[in-house]
Amino acid sequence: MTMPSTKNKIKSRRVLIPLGYLLSAFVGGGIVFAILSQQQVINVADDGATEATEESVAGDENIFNLPKPMWESAKLKVGLAQTKMMAVSTWATGKVVLNEDRVAHIYSITEGVAYQVPVNLGQRVEKGQILAVIDSREVGSAKLELYQARLQEEFAKQANDFAQKVKKNANELLDALEANKTVEGINEMLGDRPIGKYREQLLTAYAELIRARLDYERLEPVAASGAVAGKQLIEVEAKFQAAEATYKAVVEQLRFSIPQDALQTEQALQQARQAVDVAMAKLSILGYFEKDLQDLKPLDPEECISHFVVRAPFAGTIIAKNVVLAERVGTDTEMFRLADLSTVWVQADIYQKDLPNIELLGDTIQFRAVSGSSAADHTHEAKIFYRGDVVDADTRTLLLRAVTDNPDNHLKPGMFVEINLPSNVSTKVIAVPTTAVQEVKGEQTVFVKVGETKFRKVPVVVGPIVDDMIAIEEGLKAGDNVVTSGAFVLKSELMKDEIGEDD
């Protein structure tokens, strides 16, 4: 093998040097290119990741966008789901029932036919409002009896008033006669004042007595002189004595009969008044008051004397209606059921194992409805009025009852609720403010921030509420970015989007 010459070596070196520079340049450029290419790959990867996220967001119906300009008007706030020590409480199942102290089962207390039924099922009525009008034979007869008794009372009163005047005047007449006043003087004293039958009896006997006395007094001195036969004087004297005896008998009789006759009229008046009272008592049993019966007009066709009016005993709602127009109504027919729904009872059967928790309740209970706009909105307070005294032998439960106001009728009787039974035992739980929980399509839900303007709807299982913090038993982990204020706006946006998709 021949060795290259020096010239060729130099030439080769000259060729190699540029090649080296070229190679170096190429290699160096390759490094730079590699670095740039790597950076571009990284950026492309990042862009690809961003696009993938957006694609996943677009495909996930639980994630939606809320532009930042809307945050301020929505008062949107985001906070971390916290780990918190909370008392382990249980939720006992209960239900809302009617306030039995404010429920009226309305029956008719008389038989008849429904003449008017002016109310409907579910209607709100006021106290004293007419619920029905019953055409009743019993009521008509009772009112006619009262009307007749009042007429008899009026006649008896007039008779008694007259008898009392006669009694007074007759006694004055007797006193005047005993004073030996003349008939003219007596007539002038009494004038036309009523004396009745006593005037004729007394004045006739008195006039006969005066005439007999005058005859006797005229003949007595004449008979002493012998001018008149003694026999005639004896006859005049006998007439005088007979007239005097008759007059005394009349006076004695009238002294007794005048007050007796007046007493009889008083008794007749009392009997008439008793008849009125009895008739009124019969109608009061039927629910009538004296003011309702002041002016009875049985012959007036507009009076409708046989009509019996059924009225609402208090303000409330008609929750049952069992009578219609022209229907036969008996005393055993529940016509209406009226309930005052402004207050309701909350009733729960507490198991024996949970009885110690009742002592921690105090005077009130916290309960929540099964449905509603949020857990917080459906947390209510009720005052306990009955804790039960006997454990049911079959269910091993104790009856607990509480009463709560229901001004907007939000709580419906028959609705199931959950009653919070507190405990002294605490445990570590994930907790968020109660304002973070909303109900969406029957699920308790929170909204978790997953991007700059994106939020995910996350179903959760909620636990007890303590100091406006609600335990999350399932669905969240500590550190999740949860919307704590303005969640209702997110719910509205979510529902609006879903409505738009349905359209």
Side-chain angles (χ1 to χ4, degrees):
M1 181 176 178
T2 57
M3 297 295 294
S5 62
T6 303
K7 184 177 181 179
N8 289 336
K9 289 181 180 179
I10 294 172
K11 185 177 180 180
S12 299
R13 187 178 298 172
R14 289 176 181 173
V15 174
L16 291 174
I17 291 173
L19 289 175
Y21 283 113
L22 181 59
L23 182 59
S24 299
F26 177 78
V27 173
I31 294 173
V32 174
F33 176 77
I35 294 173
L36 292 176
S37 298
Q38 184 179 2
Q39 183 64 39
Q40 290 177 355
V41 171
I42 292 173
N43 291 336
V44 170
D46 290 342
D47 292 342
T50 303
E51 291 176 0
T53 302
E54 291 176 352
E55 290 176 358
S56 64
V57 167
D60 190 344
E61 62 180 7
N62 292 326
I63 296 180
F64 60 97
N65 184 68
L66 184 69
K68 280 196 174 182
M70 297 181 62
W71 290 19
E72 183 175 354
S73 61
K75 297 182 180 179
L76 197 72
K77 294 181 181 179
V78 177
L80 297 178
Q82 303 175 13
T83 300
K84 186 178 180 65
M85 295 297 295
M86 296 180 68
V88 179
S89 59
T90 59
W91 290 91
T93 301
K95 63 180 178 179
V96 178
V97 297
L98 293 170
N99 183 343
E100 295 179 6
D101 294 332
R102 300 293 293 172
V103 176
H105 301 266
I106 300 175
Y107 291 79
S108 173
I109 56 178
T110 181
E111 295 184 352
V113 176
Y115 180 78
Q116 290 180 356
V117 186
V119 296
N120 298 314
L121 182 65
Q123 181 177 337
R124 168 78 181 180
V125 297
E126 300 299 327
K127 180 180 180 179
Q129 184 172 335
I130 295 177
L131 304 181
V133 178
I134 308 299
D135 198 357
S136 169
R137 181 183 300 176
E138 181 183 2
V139 171
S141 299
K143 287 183 178 179
L144 287 175
E145 182 180 342
L146 175 62
Y147 180 77
Q148 185 177 10
R150 283 176 172 174
L151 289 179
Q152 294 297 329
E153 180 188 20
E154 184 63 27
F155 295 153
K157 185 177 183 303
Q158 292 177 1
N160 181 64
D161 290 343
F162 180 77
Q164 298 306 319
K165 291 178 181 179
V166 168
K167 173 184 175 182
K168 178 177 180 296
N169 296 333
N171 286 329
E172 290 182 3
L173 175 59
L174 288 173
D175 294 340
L177 294 176
E178 288 182 357
N180 295 321
K181 289 187 177 183
T182 63
V183 174
E184 293 77 8
I186 291 172
N187 288 331
E188 182 179 355
M189 178 185 70
L190 295 177
D192 295 333
R193 289 159 60 182
I195 303 177
K197 61 183 179 179
Y198 308 130
R199 182 190 293 271
E200 180 184 2
Q201 295 176 10
L202 277 172
L203 292 182
T204 300
Y206 186 61
E208 289 292 330
L209 175 61
I210 292 176
R211 187 175 63 178
R213 181 186 293 121
L214 291 175
D215 289 343
Y216 176 73
E217 290 176 349
R218 180 174 56 81
L219 291 176
E220 183 180 15
V222 177
S225 61
V228 177
K231 181 180 179 179
Q232 186 177 0
L233 179 61
I234 292 172
E235 291 178 354
V236 171
E237 184 178 6
K239 288 183 179 180
F240 170 63
Q241 292 175 350
E244 186 176 27
T246 300
Y247 171 72
K248 288 182 178 180
V250 170
V251 170
E252 291 176 355
Q253 178 64 35
L254 293 183
R255 286 290 187 187
F256 174 79
S257 61
I258 288 173
Q260 288 297 315
D261 292 343
L263 180 61
Q264 288 180 0
T265 59
E266 288 181 2
Q267 292 175 345
L269 177 59
Q270 290 179 358
Q271 290 176 354
R273 286 175 174 170
Q274 288 175 355
V276 172
D277 292 340
V278 170
M280 280 294 302
K282 289 181 179 179
L283 288 167
S284 66
I285 294 174
L286 295 173
Y288 286 91
F289 297 96
E290 187 173 356
K291 63 180 182 179
D292 302 325
L293 305 167
Q294 289 292 339
D295 189 19
L296 287 178
K297 299 177 181 179
L299 300 181
D300 189 349
E302 296 183 358
E303 179 69 20
C304 301
I305 197 168
S306 63
H307 283 182
F308 173 73
V309 179
V310 179
R311 299 181 183 273
F314 52 78
T317 302
I318 303 294
I319 62 173
K321 176 185 174 184
N322 304 312
V323 62
V324 295
L325 190 65
E327 182 179 2
R328 182 75 183 178
V329 177
T331 56
D332 57 347
T333 303
E334 184 187 24
M335 301 173 62
F336 306 95
R337 192 175 307 158
L338 178 67
D340 179 4
L341 301 178
S342 62
T343 61
V344 292
W345 285 358
V346 179
Q347 177 177 298
D349 294 324
I350 308 300
Y351 287 101
Q352 185 172 348
K353 64 182 180 62
D354 294 324
L355 293 184
N357 295 353
I358 295 181
E359 301 301 326
L360 303 175
L361 288 173
D363 295 330
T364 61
I365 59 171
Q366 301 291 326
F367 70 96
R368 65 187 183 191
V370 174
S371 62
S373 60
S374 73
D377 290 342
H378 284 262
T379 300
H380 305 271
E381 185 175 277
K383 185 176 181 180
I384 299 173
F385 67 90
Y386 182 67
R387 296 175 183 268
D389 298 308
V390 179
V391 174
D392 187 272
D394 296 327
T395 63
R396 309 308 300 170
T397 58
L398 189 73
L399 180 62
L400 179 70
R401 280 183 174 176
V403 62
T404 184
D405 292 332
N406 187 30
D408 56 357
N409 287 353
H410 175 69
L411 298 171
K412 307 295 184 182
M415 176 186 292
F416 285 102
V417 295
E418 294 177 330
I419 297 171
N420 188 17
L421 297 180
S423 173
N424 288 327
V425 180
S426 297
T427 187
K428 186 180 294 185
V429 297
I430 303 298
V432 296
T434 54
T435 54
V437 181
Q438 298 286 321
E439 182 169 300
V440 179
K441 294 184 177 180
E443 288 184 328
Q444 300 298 325
T445 303
V446 298
F447 296 97
V448 177
K449 187 172 179 292
V450 295
E452 284 296 323
T453 60
K454 291 181 173 55
F455 300 87
R456 184 190 298 274
K457 180 188 73 172
V458 179
V460 294
V461 177
V462 298
I465 299 173
V466 177
D467 297 331
D468 295 327
M469 296 293 289
I470 184 168
I472 305 298
E473 297 176 355
E474 295 180 15
L476 289 181
K477 61 182 182 296
D480 281 346
N481 289 320
V482 177
V483 176
T484 59
S485 176
F488 182 75
V489 176
L490 290 174
K491 173 185 174 181
S492 301
E493 286 295 316
L494 177 63
M495 300 302 291
K496 182 171 65 176
D497 292 343
E498 291 179 354
I499 294 173
E501 291 176 1
D502 292 339
D503 294 339

